[in-house]
Amino acid sequence: GLSFQQGIQKNALQGIPSISPRGLRTTVAAAPEGTLVAKEMNERIYSFNKIVIDTVYDIICFLYPVTGGKRDFARFYVLETVARVPYFAYLSVMHLRETFGERDPKLGERMRTHYAEADNELHHLLIMESLGGNSSF
């Protein structure tokens, strides 16, 4: 099998947080020679992000509890809508950087990847709309 480092190099996207087998919060960054290496994430930033995400999720769970009924589709619809936000934010920043003149060749590939992720979330929303998820707000 692959070692942890080889798994990061093969599977991870640059800048996406992950948890290592030892429990360290890491991000993947490009090394000068173009290989990916793990870097430790700032604990305060990680903790703040976790609190914000957990709070939003708990609010959604309170407003849209799982009951086994049609309202579950509305819950999933709301969760998928919220799941699109980070991709839009990241893409917006990347477009802004490009507008200000940054022409890193890797930037275009990351933009395509995150656009594909946002598009994937859109397809989830379309499925939920077809099941009536957007009519139960």
Side-chain angles (χ1 to χ4, degrees), residues 2-122:
L2 294 175
S3 71
F4 173 67
Q5 188 64 32
Q6 290 168 329
I8 285 180
Q9 291 173 348
K10 181 177 179 190
N11 298 319
L13 297 172
Q14 186 163 346
I16 303 299
S18 62
I19 303 295
S20 73
R22 294 179 302 275
L24 296 174
R25 286 147 190 96
T26 60
T27 58
V28 178
E33 64 272 3
T35 60
L36 296 176
V37 295
K39 291 173 40 178
E40 193 169 334
M41 181 184 283
N42 182 308
E43 186 68 32
R44 288 182 10 193
I45 292 173
Y46 177 84
S47 297
F48 174 76
N49 287 339
K50 181 157 179 42
I51 289 169
V52 170
I53 291 168
D54 288 347
T55 301
V56 169
Y57 180 75
D58 289 343
I59 290 169
I60 291 170
C61 288
F62 176 76
L63 295 174
Y64 296 93
V66 176
T67 60
K70 288 190 176 253
R71 194 146 161 91
D72 290 348
F73 293 120
R75 178 179 189 262
F76 190 76
Y77 185 82
V78 170
L79 287 171
E80 289 300 325
T81 301
V82 172
R84 297 174 76 193
V85 172
Y87 299 116
F88 287 133
Y90 193 75
L91 280 171
S92 296
V93 170
M94 292 173 82
H95 280 289
L96 182 65
R97 289 171 60 184
E98 185 180 58
T99 300
F100 288 144
E102 185 171 332
R103 299 290 184 261
D104 181 3
K106 294 178 185 177
L107 184 65
E109 184 60 35
R110 284 183 287 190
M111 289 172 73
R112 281 187 285 282
T113 299
H114 287 280
Y115 179 79
E117 294 288 349
D119 198 41
N120 180 50
E121 299 300 336
L122 170 64

